[in-house]
Amino acid sequence: MPMFKEWQVNRLVGRDFVDFADYTPSELNYLLELAEAIKEKQKKGEKYQPLSGKTLGMFFTKASTRTRVSFEVGMYQLGGHALFLSNGDTQLGRGEPISDTAKVMSRYVDGIMIRTFAHEDVVELAEHASVPVINALTDLHHPCQVLADILTLKEHKGQLEGLTVAYVGDGNNMANSWIQAAPKFGLNMRVATPVGYECDPAVVAQAKQFAREFGTELVVTNDPVEAVAGADVIYTDVWASMGQEAEQAERVKKFAAFQVNEELCKHAKDDFLFMHCLPAHRGEEVTAGIIDGPHSVVFDEAENRLHVQKAILVATIG
């Protein structure tokens, strides 16, 4: 593919990446193109270090494997440096206001990444920081993962517009980010959840507006078969996310009919892709035969977290 034009790198400098709401389709596709170009450079062994001398502060109040490693490796490969800051390492853990932390950190680092529980904390951090803030996961949204998923989908299908993605399971941060992003990429979206576990109502209303604006389909249902019928992609996530461990037994009962298994997948297209953000619980939300089978692209998604996040870092930090 042709390399991105160097002038394009400055398009999003200084912007936060909190969710998909404030990004246009053009800007989101630019991030995908930038990720593709950076990935191509890496595969060729070409050094690309536009963030030489730059530092990323990384706040974690939730445990992480892929997020921490991909951001740290990404900053290193881009020539920069990443600082890991757990809740016990900072004054945030002792009650310092988020606004104060944002103002202080903005004088030390070139960008802030945060993985936490309350989405409002990320919004407040971005409001008071004078450097870009990247949402690496909250209970409401997980935009870095969904952008990596969409890059993976584009790589495997060759195009995005008109494809149908079926999300089956908990209406959590993954589902929220998917319905928010899908219309801006020309994707049709269907979400099937058990009653009482639907996506955030405000995000659904926003996503419906985006679907009308961009001419795509958005279906929200409690029937997994309706969601999967004729779908190009089947997506799922764990039934109990971090912080919901006490609900595990109850959720297993209520979500049993929403397992992504061989029988459910018969309703999708023959060449459907299976996606999962990982970590996965084989035998719960998905059978081993599906996640480890020929339709699964879960490890391609995991790899693409690195490339997409490098694109976000380059685009926003500059």
Side-chain angles (χ1 to χ4, degrees), residues 33-52:
E33 291 168 6
L34 184 56
E36 289 174 310
I38 291 173
K39 182 175 181 177
E40 184 176 341
K41 281 181 177 287
Q42 180 174 320
K43 297 298 184 184
K44 290 180 177 178
E46 298 178 13
K47 184 176 288 189
Y48 179 62
Q49 298 189 325
L51 299 187
S52 178

Side-chain angles (χ1 to χ4, degrees), residues 1-21:
M1 61 169 287
M3 278 301 170
F4 57 89
K5 298 179 177 65
E6 289 300 330
W7 64 266
Q8 290 182 306
V9 174
N10 294 320
R11 289 182 62 183
L12 302 177
V13 169
R15 290 276 296 275
D16 300 314
F17 189 71
V18 174
D19 59 38
F20 292 108

Side-chain angles (χ1 to χ4, degrees), residues 4 16 30 40 54-55 130 135 160 170 173 196 205 209 213 218 231 237 267 275-276 281 290 294 299 305 309:
F4 57 89
D16 300 314
Y30 159 66
E40 184 176 341
K54 304 285 188 179
T55 302
S130 58
N135 174 12
L160 295 172
D170 188 23
N173 50 8
Q209 179 183 335
E213 181 178 355
L218 174 61
D237 191 9
H267 298 279
M275 290 185 161
H276 193 302
H281 297 160
I290 296 299
F299 297 110
R305 285 288 300 279
Q309 286 159 188

Side-chain angles (χ1 to χ4, degrees), residues 26-85:
S26 175
E27 291 168 339
L28 291 173
N29 278 291
Y30 159 66
L31 286 175
L32 282 193
E33 291 168 6
L34 184 56
E36 289 174 310
I38 291 173
K39 182 175 181 177
E40 184 176 341
K41 281 181 177 287
Q42 180 174 320
K43 297 298 184 184
K44 290 180 177 178
E46 298 178 13
K47 184 176 288 189
Y48 179 62
Q49 298 189 325
L51 299 187
S52 178
K54 304 285 188 179
T55 302
L56 178 72
M58 305 194 306
F59 288 92
F60 285 85
T61 61
K62 278 192 172 186
S64 167
T65 299
R66 281 154 291 277
T67 297
R68 178 179 177 180
V69 174
S70 57
F71 268 106
E72 284 198 21
V73 170
M75 276 300 289
Y76 171 77
Q77 292 178 346
L78 293 170
H81 178 67
L83 293 169
F84 173 79
L85 301 164

